[in-house]
Amino acid sequence: MRTTSLFLLLLGLFTLSNCSDSEIQLPDQELVGFVDGEEWEIKFANAYIYSSDFKYQIKFLSTQEGGQDPCAIPSTANTHVSMIMPLQIGSFSIPFPITDESARFHWANGSSAIATSGFLEIFDIDNSRIIGYLQAQLDDNNIVEGSFEVLICN
């Protein structure tokens, strides 16, 4: 009886120790996709403080942008993707609980729409950068997925 109990205990511990090996494997690609039906690729991203509760507006800017400094482009008329969030590591479903803060597709004509599905993973935040992965989809003409690095501008 004692040997059987010990065996079952060891088997249970072995099974539990292997559960941590089931991490989600994300594709190794930069943020790309379609915005307003056109191919879209991230050039860089910026984050500016948005509210007094320390939420930041993050803008994922495309290769259509000129220059090399994401902080020099606080606003743009080009297609882009944005969201508003506190700076915290974690996994988040899209749309966010506060829908207006969720991932949003911005089109060249000035209109925009909120993504209806996807997820956001924030892996690391330091004093000047946010590292993560985004999958956001509105429809077949508006979908982006991939890894990103955001420069915190203020």
Side-chain angles (χ1 to χ4, degrees):
M1 176 79 172
R2 196 174 239 190
T3 305
T4 304
S5 296
L6 182 60
F7 174 75
L8 290 174
L9 177 64
L10 290 174
L11 181 63
L13 289 173
F14 176 75
T15 302
L16 288 175
S17 69
N18 285 333
C19 288
S20 65
D21 293 338
S22 60
E23 294 180 14
I24 296 173
Q25 297 296 318
L26 298 173
D28 185 22
Q29 69 180 24
E30 282 198 326
L31 190 61
V32 296
F34 293 91
V35 177
D36 200 16
E38 300 292 325
E39 285 190 22
W40 187 93
E41 181 179 347
I42 191 171
K43 180 174 184 177
F44 42 54
N46 61 36
Y48 285 93
I49 191 92
Y50 181 78
S51 61
S52 60
D53 58 351
F54 299 105
K55 289 185 179 179
Y56 280 75
Q57 182 173 44
I58 298 171
K59 290 184 183 164
F60 302 98
L61 303 169
S62 76
T63 53
Q64 297 173 340
E65 301 297 336
Q68 298 303 313
D69 181 4
C71 292
I73 306 171
S75 64
T76 182
N78 292 322
T79 59
H80 65 285
V81 178
S82 72
M83 66 181 63
I84 299 167
M85 62 174 290
L87 297 184
Q88 65 185 56
I89 294 172
S91 299
F92 310 91
S93 291
I94 293 173
F96 296 157
I98 300 174
T99 309
D100 285 344
E101 296 179 353
S102 197
R104 180 180 294 270
F105 293 93
H106 297 267
W107 303 309
N109 68 6
S111 61
S112 67
I114 295 171
T116 56
S117 66
F119 66 93
L120 171 68
E121 287 279 338
I122 302 295
F123 302 118
D124 190 32
I125 301 171
D126 65 23
N127 291 333
S128 63
R129 300 197 187 282
I130 305 165
I131 308 294
Y133 192 93
L134 174 65
Q135 179 191 77
Q137 181 173 3
L138 172 64
D139 54 29
D140 290 342
N141 291 320
N142 296 281
I143 181 170
V144 294
E145 181 173 2
S147 60
F148 61 82
E149 182 175 310
V150 177
L151 187 61
I152 300 170
C153 298
N154 63 356

